[in-house]
Amino acid sequence: MTILVTGGAGFIGSNFVLDWLRASDEPVINLDKLTYAGNRQNLTSLDGDARHTFVHGDFGDAALVDQLLATHQPRAVLNFAAESHVDRSISGPGEFIQTNIVGTFNLLEAVRAYWGGLEATSKAAFRFLHVSTDEVYGSLSKTDPAFTEVHRYEPNSPYSASKAASDHLVRAYHHTYGLPVLTTNCSNNYGPFHFPEKLIPLMIVNAQAGKALPVYGDGQQIRDWLYVTDHCSAIRRVLEAGRLGEVYNVGGWNEKPNLEIVHTVCALLDELKPRSDGKPYQDQITYVTDRPGHDRRYAIDARKLEIELGWTPAETFETGIRKTVQWYLDNPDWVANVLSGGYRDWVAQQYGN
Ligand code: NAD
Ligand code: DAU
């Protein structure tokens, strides 16, 4: 058996592929366009591993996806590919519409045709798992209960609106065509291979470079943090036992204001790699203009996944954030390649043409 993963060179996708092949021998076909967010270097530990096939291409390219499905006959397609950064969606929403909505639509069409042609047993066993976000539910006040799976969709950024649209398409393909879909809506992830445009890796990288640590607005916006391998284990569990057509929220009950996150990162760096002048990294914190339309609070109610499928996260925030800071300190080459843009030439350098 084989699975096909889209976006498997990005942050969560690459962690998922590495995690999957640590836990099982089932081969992975990894289709990724290698946008600025895709980094082939995340997967070098799989070089020469016959269980991993990397395909450089667009998940919205119907001919390519048709050919991959026909050749490899996967028992499941897991869709991680997306434009994922809220700030980029504000400055340039077009790419988000194209990738997250049109791309997902094209993928669904290719998968529907493939699934429709399978023989009965394979057809019954097939799954399409769509990886989505808690941002589709909008913003909570301090006292609102956490998002459940039946919370109304109220996306507030072009990113979250495009993800909401993709979730609706996935739902519609189940209800209209019977496609066996599963959707996960997860809270903020952190961990290895996180691109340093997002809060936690940006703070780790900027702190060490002696740069400002830009906190948007008053820094009291709340996010609900989950270590990335816990997201991966949740996806594996939903793929294995999730009920068809259902949505599962994924989160670790770790709500924290942004400023607390930045202070925690600074304190860990003070301990693990103190500044040469002996001053604390938090001296680098700078308050900057807030993100337009900035959601105030996200919080995930993960009880459905916990009770129905028995999933629980393995990491606490304290263990996960320590591992994360340590990973960035232990991988200066990865960081340098990302900062210099050299990671974009990685394929040519490493593998020739
Ligand atoms: P990312 O930006 O790090 O990676 C996205 C990957 O998709 C990249 O490798 C990129 O090259 C690839 N990609 C983009 N367009 C493509 C296309 N047209 N065809 C093939 N590949 C393409 O994103 P991430 O943070 O790893 O997020 C992965 C998924 O999880 C996304 O769908 C995102 O919405 C969702 N999600 C992310 C978080 C989070 O905190 N990062 C939380 C919940 C859900
Ligand atoms: O909730 C899940 C979502 O989490 C995912 O769907 C998105 O793909 C992912 O990018 C993430 O979205 P956020 O907007 O929450 O993540 P980001 O790291 O961009 O920002 C986290 C918080 O920190 C947010 O409130 C904005 C703030 N922030 C961010 C940056 C980059 C700052 O204060 N300063 C910064 O420099």
Side-chain angles (χ1 to χ4, degrees), residues 79 100-101 104 108 128 130-137 153 160-175 181-186 245 247 249:
N79 183 31
N100 298 355
I101 306 179
T104 303
L108 281 165
F128 179 89
H130 179 60
V131 179
S132 193
T133 169
D134 60 358
E135 300 204 9
V136 298
Y137 299 125
Y153 269 42
S160 53
S162 67
K163 288 298 289 186
S166 69
D167 292 8
H168 292 326
L169 284 170
V170 170
R171 177 190 161 87
Y173 272 63
H174 177 65
H175 283 268
V181 309
L182 299 156
T183 299
T184 55
N185 290 86
C186 189
V247 172
N249 281 356

Side-chain angles (χ1 to χ4, degrees), residues 5-15 30-40 42 54-61 79-85 95 98-100 103 130-135 159 163 166 184-190 193-195 197-198 224-226 228 231 235 250 344:
V5 164
T6 70
F11 163 48
I12 302 173
S14 60
N15 275 288
N30 184 351
L31 171 62
D32 197 294
K33 190 178 170 186
L34 296 179
T35 67
Y36 81 93
N39 188 341
R40 193 68 181 78
N42 298 359
F54 185 79
V55 181
H56 183 195
D58 190 331
F59 78 147
D61 177 343
N79 183 31
F80 294 83
E83 287 294 330
S84 70
H85 190 37
E95 201 59 50
Q98 196 54 42
T99 300
N100 298 355
H130 179 60
V131 179
S132 193
T133 169
D134 60 358
E135 300 204 9
Y159 163 69
K163 288 298 289 186
S166 69
T184 55
N185 290 86
C186 189
S187 60
N188 285 63
N189 285 213
Y190 66 101
F193 305 120
H194 205 182
F195 197 80
E197 63 183 352
K198 310 276 170 69
D224 191 350
W225 295 93
L226 185 69
V228 64
H231 188 187
I235 291 170
V250 186
R344 305 220 62 182

Side-chain angles (χ1 to χ4, degrees), residues 84-87 133-135 159 186-188 197-199 202-203 214-216 221 223 225 258 291 294 298:
S84 70
H85 190 37
V86 173
D87 292 332
T133 169
D134 60 358
E135 300 204 9
Y159 163 69
C186 189
S187 60
N188 285 63
E197 63 183 352
K198 310 276 170 69
L199 180 71
L202 182 81
M203 294 299 152
V215 170
Y216 296 168
Q221 304 83 2
R223 296 292 181 266
W225 295 93
N258 292 340
R291 172 186 281 174
H294 199 170
Y298 303 143

Side-chain angles (χ1 to χ4, degrees), residues 7-143:
F11 163 48
I12 302 173
S14 60
N15 275 288
F16 180 83
V17 170
L18 294 168
D19 211 50
W20 179 270
L21 292 174
R22 268 193 294 269
S24 109
D25 279 334
E26 184 174 359
V28 179
I29 311 302
N30 184 351
L31 171 62
D32 197 294
K33 190 178 170 186
L34 296 179
T35 67
Y36 81 93
N39 188 341
R40 193 68 181 78
Q41 198 180 349
N42 298 359
L43 300 159
T44 42
S45 63
L46 296 176
D47 283 354
D49 189 328
R51 299 171 303 166
H52 179 238
T53 303
F54 185 79
V55 181
H56 183 195
D58 190 331
F59 78 147
D61 177 343
L64 173 63
V65 176
D66 287 348
Q67 180 240 311
L68 290 175
L69 292 170
T71 307
H72 299 284
Q73 299 278 306
R75 65 156 177 116
V77 172
L78 290 87
N79 183 31
F80 294 83
E83 287 294 330
S84 70
H85 190 37
V86 173
D87 292 332
R88 285 182 192 253
S89 84
I90 294 168
S91 53
E95 201 59 50
F96 288 70
I97 306 303
Q98 196 54 42
T99 300
N100 298 355
I101 306 179
V102 181
T104 303
F105 162 70
N106 287 338
L107 179 68
L108 281 165
E109 277 292 272
V111 169
R112 178 165 78 92
Y114 164 71
W115 171 75
L118 291 174
E119 50 79 24
T121 315
S122 307
K123 195 172 179 183
F126 183 80
R127 298 287 182 270
F128 179 89
L129 191 149
H130 179 60
V131 179
S132 193
T133 169
D134 60 358
E135 300 204 9
V136 298
Y137 299 125
S139 184
L140 296 169
S141 75
K142 238 182 177 164
T143 52

